[in-house]
């Protein structure tokens, strides 16, 4: 366990160092821009590692929850633990996130710590990391498109649609299936099951916000479509008069 603590601290130092390097390289950009670059890199890295764990290295999380942690699972959790501690500290210092996101980071940190301390259920933690981080690159891409003035383009619409679809599929449907397998299995400990319920409940809190966003986006698209049709009709009418 002492080695795990040391590795987690080193990962934290690496994420902090990476952030400060970006701040020096991108001096003209804001602190949030550079922090989101760190978040983007972590999201891609976490998805790649946990996807390999789930689909190649194993075991399959839906069938074998509560099994002993493997070295690769520990490595993935330690890397993400260092990132979540960094991002949590950054968000608290700059006061950029609300209570829901802070609760997500807190539960992620506590969940990883508990899994590392127990030495089991690492495959479920990696599955949760995969499901939660797979939408992260799209979320960051959306923010970067806004900052660069390209959010109102077709690319912005594609990113929004993919984000909503991925969130619903992975966090709600796949996440719900994962939670069901976790709860009916006798292997995972009670605290791990409680953590799974809490994370899934938090996904539904995010889901409420996403539904509101999807409704606003749909109304915006409908208004743009009506405006376009009215413009075409008006242009056609003027053409006939000429």
């Amino acid at each position: 366990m002492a080695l795990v603590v040391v590795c987690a601290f080193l990962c934290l130092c690496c994420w902090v160092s990476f952030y400060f390097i970006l701040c020096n390289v991108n001096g003209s950009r804001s602190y949030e821009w550079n922090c989101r670059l760190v978040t983007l890199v972590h999201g891609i890295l976490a998805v790649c590692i946990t996807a390999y764990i789930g689909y190649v290295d194993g075991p399959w999380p839906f069938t074998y929850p509560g099994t002993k942690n493997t070295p690769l699972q520990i490595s993935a959790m330690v890397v993400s633990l260092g990132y979540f501690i960094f991002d949590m500290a950054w968000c608290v210092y700059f006061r950029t996130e609300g209570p829901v996101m802070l609760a997500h980071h807190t539960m992620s940190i506590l969940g990883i710590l508990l899994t590392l301390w127990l030495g089991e259920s690492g495959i479920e933690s990696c599955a949760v990391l995969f499901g939660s981080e797979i939408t992260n690159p799209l979320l960051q891409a959306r923010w970067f498109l806004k900052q660069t003035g390209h959010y109102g383009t077709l690319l912005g619409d594609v990113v929004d649609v993919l984000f909503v679809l991925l969130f619903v599929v992975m966090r709600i449907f796949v996440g719900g299936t994962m939670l069901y397998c976790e709860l009916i299995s006798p292997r995972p400990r009670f605290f791990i099951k409680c953590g799974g319920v809490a994370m899934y409940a938090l996904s539904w809190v995010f889901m409420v916000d996403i539904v509101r966003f999807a409704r606003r986006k749909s109304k915006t698209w409908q208004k743009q479509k009506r405006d376009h049709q009215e413009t075409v009709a008006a242009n056609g009418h003027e053409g006939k008069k000429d």
Side-chain angles (χ1 to χ4, degrees), residues 111-131:
I112 292 174
L113 285 173
L114 180 62
T115 305
L116 290 172
W117 180 63
L118 293 175
E120 59 188 48
S121 291
I123 188 60
E124 298 103 290
S125 292
C126 290
V128 171
L129 279 173
F130 175 81

Side-chain angles (χ1 to χ4, degrees), residues 174-230:
V174 178
T177 305
M178 180 73 224
L179 179 61
Y180 173 76
C181 295
E182 179 87 2
L183 294 176
I184 65 172
S185 175
R187 284 190 298 267
R189 303 206 186 187
F190 175 74
F191 296 109
I192 297 294
K193 293 183 178 183
C194 290
V197 172
M199 288 296 290
Y200 188 67
L202 192 61
S203 293
W204 274 102
V205 175
F206 285 122
M207 187 65 202
V208 172
D209 290 335
I210 289 176
V211 169
R212 291 173 180 168
F213 161 75
R215 290 181 62 183
R216 291 195 303 269
K217 192 73 175 182
S218 177
K219 290 179 181 179
T220 301
W221 285 343
Q222 291 174 3
K223 184 177 182 301
Q224 290 175 346
K225 184 178 180 180
R226 287 195 302 267
D227 292 344
H228 177 71
Q229 290 174 344
E230 291 173 0

Side-chain angles (χ1 to χ4, degrees), residues 27-146:
S28 60
R29 297 295 186 179
S30 65
Y31 292 131
E32 185 172 3
W33 177 286
N34 294 311
C35 184
R36 285 183 179 270
L37 282 178
V38 176
T39 301
L40 177 63
V41 170
H42 168 261
I44 295 173
L45 181 64
V47 167
C48 291
I49 297 175
T50 54
Y52 179 83
I53 290 172
Y55 292 103
V56 180
D57 192 60
W60 186 238
F62 296 93
T63 310
Y64 301 101
T67 52
K68 295 294 183 181
N69 299 343
T70 66
L72 189 56
Q73 292 169 11
I74 294 173
S75 300
M77 288 187 288
V78 166
V79 169
S80 290
L81 177 61
Y83 162 75
F84 282 124
I85 294 174
F86 156 75
D87 199 53
M88 179 77 168
W90 192 95
C91 291
V92 170
Y93 181 80
F94 287 97
R95 300 179 180 179
T96 58
E97 299 295 343
V100 177
M101 183 57 70
L102 293 179
H104 171 269
H105 277 32
T106 301
M107 284 194 286
S108 298
I109 293 170
L110 293 177
I112 292 174
L113 285 173
L114 180 62
T115 305
L116 290 172
W117 180 63
L118 293 175
E120 59 188 48
S121 291
I123 188 60
E124 298 103 290
S125 292
C126 290
V128 171
L129 279 173
F130 175 81
S132 60
E133 292 300 322
I134 196 170
T135 56
N136 192 286
L138 292 172
L139 187 62
Q140 305 313 317
R142 182 173 178 267
W143 187 87
F144 286 122
L145 287 173
K146 281 186 175 182

Side-chain angles (χ1 to χ4, degrees), residues 133-166:
E133 292 300 322
I134 196 170
T135 56
N136 192 286
L138 292 172
L139 187 62
Q140 305 313 317
R142 182 173 178 267
W143 187 87
F144 286 122
L145 287 173
K146 281 186 175 182
Q147 297 301 306
T148 55
H150 296 92
Y151 180 64
T153 63
L154 177 61
L155 180 58
D157 294 338
V158 171
V159 168
D160 282 340
V161 171
L162 288 177
F163 172 76
V164 173
L165 289 177
L166 262 181

